């Protein structure tokens, strides 16, 4: 592992050594490698790299490492240049965030030894602060127009409510969720299974550029790293751990999106699904999730109610709202205090409503402006053609 001292610079501090070592280890271990994570936890990044590179004489054996595994790790470790990787990510406006950094999202620690060694981040906002109020929206790559519409609607609706939309920048549902959030002027995070400088899929080069400008691009793999099938699977655990909950929009039985939702459930996060036609194979996995411990949601307000704080309630589902439904409790009492026919003075209205005279007068003028009552000389009466009668019953 090349370091600043090799180029005649001042020796790095302990903190910088650890950062260099962690950056190097993102090229040595695959994402989610729990054995590598255990070695990292027990030895620390600097000592682990020392044992893998053997720069200080005989190298101590790593516990539980077979000869083949150790040889593969040492081969990877021998060719890393973390200084260059850090410079490369800096050149595109990025950075490397490590556990213990102020920007590190501590909810990722719930992954235990499978937590990321560090995260390569591209974009200006603070990842930790954004992740505090974030929701994952994931689903099928080959989604239907219905799936794309629902994902975009969820992305926009969540963004409008101040939530950060997290997804994987794949075709289909992921892209629709990102675009929905961007179109609403909101915040979105793309978690990649490759380097943050790699546009994958290539058809999303423009979309990833927009996310980097307006949001964040995050990945566990060092710059220029390419995606593989296993890296996509392991990427899903980061999406699940980073967010308060995961919404699945269209997924078959073996979809990777269901892996994200199940990871969320194991981590104590909310797992949600958007229902689709019972005849659609693309909704079969979502329906299976909903038959288990998943929660059915149909719009952003329902998602926010589930994962949000006290008071983040979805609107009540009900019929058309009538003019009278919009009155607050005191104004409704004042209206009820007027007889069905005839004129009544303000003191009598106040007595009937149980409010003060000034309060009654003010409410009567409000009711007058909305067409419920009329002024008649020194008194008040119901309008000749008032909005719905007081005895309409509950809405």
């Amino acid at each position: 592992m090349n370091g600043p001292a090799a180029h005649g610079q001042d020796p790095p501090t302990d903190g910088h050594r650890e950062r260099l070592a962690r950056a190097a280890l993102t090229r040595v271990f695959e994402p989610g490698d729990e054995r590598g994570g255990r070695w990292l936890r027990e030895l620390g990044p600097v000592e682990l790299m020392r044992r893998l590179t053997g720069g200080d004489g005989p190298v101590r054996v790593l516990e539980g490492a077979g000869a083949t595994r150790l040889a593969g790790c040492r081969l990877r470790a021998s060719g890393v240049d973390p200084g260059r990787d850090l410079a490369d990510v800096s050149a595109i406006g990025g950075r490397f965030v490590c556990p213990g950094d102020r920007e590190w999202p501590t909810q990722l620690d719930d992954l235990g030894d499978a937590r990321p060694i560090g995260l390569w981040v591209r974009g200006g906002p603070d990842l930790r602060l954004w992740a505090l109020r974030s929701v994952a929206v994931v689903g099928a790559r080959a989604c239907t127009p219905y799936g794309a519409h629902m994902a975009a609607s969820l992305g926009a609706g969540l963004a409008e409510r101040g939530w950060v939309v997290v997804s994987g920048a794949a075709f289909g549902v992921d892209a629709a969720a990102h675009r929905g959030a961007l179109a609403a002027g909101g915040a979105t995070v793309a978690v990649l299974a490759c380097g943050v400088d790699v546009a994958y899929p290539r058809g999303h080069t423009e979309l990833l550029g927009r996310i980097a400008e307006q949001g964040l691009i995050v990945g566990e793999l060092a710059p220029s790293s390419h995606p593989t099938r296993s890296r996509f699977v392991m990427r899903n655990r980061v999406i699940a751990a980073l967010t308060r909950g995961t919404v699945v929009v269209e997924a078959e039985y073996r979809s990777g999106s269901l892996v994200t939702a199940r990871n969320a459930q194991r981590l104590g996060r909310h797992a949600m699904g958007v229902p689709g036609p019972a005849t659609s194979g693309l909704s079969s996995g979502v329906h299976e999730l909903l038959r288990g411990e998943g929660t059915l949601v149909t719009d952003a307000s329902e998602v926010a109610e589930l994962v949000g704080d006290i008071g983040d309630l979805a609107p009540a589902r009900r019929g058309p709202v009538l003019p009278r439904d919009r009155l607050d409790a005191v104004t409704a009492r004042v209206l009820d205090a007027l007889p069905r026919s005839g004129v009544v003075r303000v003191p009598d209205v106040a007595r009937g409503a149980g409010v003060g005279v000034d309060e009654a007068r003010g409410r009567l003028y409000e009711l007058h402006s909305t067409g419920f009552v009329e002024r008649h000389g020194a008194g008040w009466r119901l309008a000749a053609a008032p909005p719905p009668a007081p005895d309409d019953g509950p809405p």
Side-chain angles (χ1 to χ4, degrees):
M1 180 176 66
N2 297 325
H7 300 285
Q9 300 176 14
D10 293 334
T13 63
D14 289 344
H16 188 58
R17 286 194 190 94
E18 290 196 5
R19 186 171 301 277
L20 284 169
R22 282 186 177 273
L25 288 167
T26 63
R27 287 200 180 273
V28 176
F29 297 120
E30 286 295 308
D33 186 332
E34 293 192 61
R35 180 165 294 178
R38 179 169 62 83
W39 293 334
L40 178 60
R41 171 172 52 82
E42 293 174 348
L43 301 174
V46 175
E47 175 61 21
L48 179 54
M49 276 304 296
R50 184 179 295 117
R51 294 195 185 191
L52 290 173
T53 55
D56 296 332
V59 180
R60 294 170 58 189
V61 176
L62 293 170
E63 182 181 350
T68 302
R69 171 73 192 277
L70 190 57
C73 290
R74 286 178 177 168
L75 181 62
R76 281 188 169 187
S78 66
V80 299
D81 187 350
R84 177 181 297 173
D85 285 337
L86 291 170
D88 287 346
V89 79
S90 178
I92 59 171
R95 56 202 176 276
F96 183 59
V97 178
C98 299
D101 287 351
R102 185 192 59 80
E103 195 181 355
W104 178 257
T106 54
Q107 59 266 48
L108 293 178
D109 299 343
D110 293 346
L111 292 169
D113 288 339
R115 79 172 179 179
I117 295 167
L119 289 174
W120 301 88
V121 180
R122 182 180 172 193
D126 186 297
L127 175 61
R128 183 184 68 83
L129 295 179
W130 271 31
L132 290 175
R133 190 176 167 86
S134 64
V135 178
V137 179
V138 297
R141 286 176 170 81
C143 68
T144 66
Y146 163 78
H149 169 77
M150 290 304 299
S153 176
L154 284 168
L158 287 166
E160 289 168 355
R161 287 165 174 79
W163 289 88
V164 177
V165 177
V166 179
S167 198
F171 287 123
V173 166
D174 288 18
H178 287 306
R179 289 191 173 105
L182 290 169
T188 189
V189 176
V191 182
L192 305 185
C194 55
V196 295
D197 59 339
V198 176
Y200 186 89
R202 192 171 297 278
H204 281 172
T205 300
E206 181 180 356
L207 174 61
L208 287 166
R210 287 183 61 205
I211 295 173
E213 292 175 0
Q214 191 170 321
L216 287 169
I217 296 178
V218 177
E220 296 179 76
L221 294 151
S224 77
S225 298
H226 65 278
T228 64
R229 182 179 296 273
S230 63
R231 288 172 175 177
F232 280 116
V233 173
M234 297 313 296
R235 178 271 310 273
N236 294 336
R237 83 194 195 289
V238 176
I239 294 177
L242 193 65
T243 56
R244 288 200 195 180
T246 295
V247 185
V248 183
V249 182
E250 290 196 326
E252 295 181 305
Y253 285 119
R254 291 176 54 83
S255 169
S257 302
L258 295 181
V259 174
T260 309
R262 290 174 184 134
N263 281 332
Q265 288 176 317
R266 282 194 293 270
L267 292 165
R269 307 327 190 234
H270 294 283
M272 297 156 279
V274 176
T279 54
S280 172
L282 278 173
S283 290
S284 58
V286 179
H287 295 162
E288 188 66 21
L289 174 68
L290 295 176
R291 291 185 67 219
E293 297 182 2
T295 303
L296 186 150
V297 293
T298 60
D299 61 22
S301 64
E302 293 178 352
V303 175
E305 179 179 75
L306 189 64
V307 303
D309 301 318
I310 295 174
D312 288 338
L313 300 178
R317 308 301 182 188
R318 57 188 235 176
V321 177
L322 302 175
R324 183 182 174 84
D325 298 333
R326 300 183 183 278
L327 300 179
D328 62 73
V330 175
T331 305
R333 290 208 314 271
V334 170
L335 181 60
D336 288 339
L338 272 73
R340 288 184 176 273
S341 61
V343 178
V344 63
R345 292 179 177 274
V346 175
D348 296 325
V349 174
R351 187 180 306 110
V355 300
V357 172
D358 291 338
E359 178 77 7
R361 182 179 292 106
R363 301 291 175 152
L364 284 167
Y365 274 100
E366 290 178 14
L367 289 166
H368 184 258
S369 68
T370 51
F372 282 94
V373 301
E374 297 173 350
R375 181 74 187 266
H376 186 78
W380 295 83
R381 68 183 180 186
L382 293 175
D391 59 351
D392 282 344

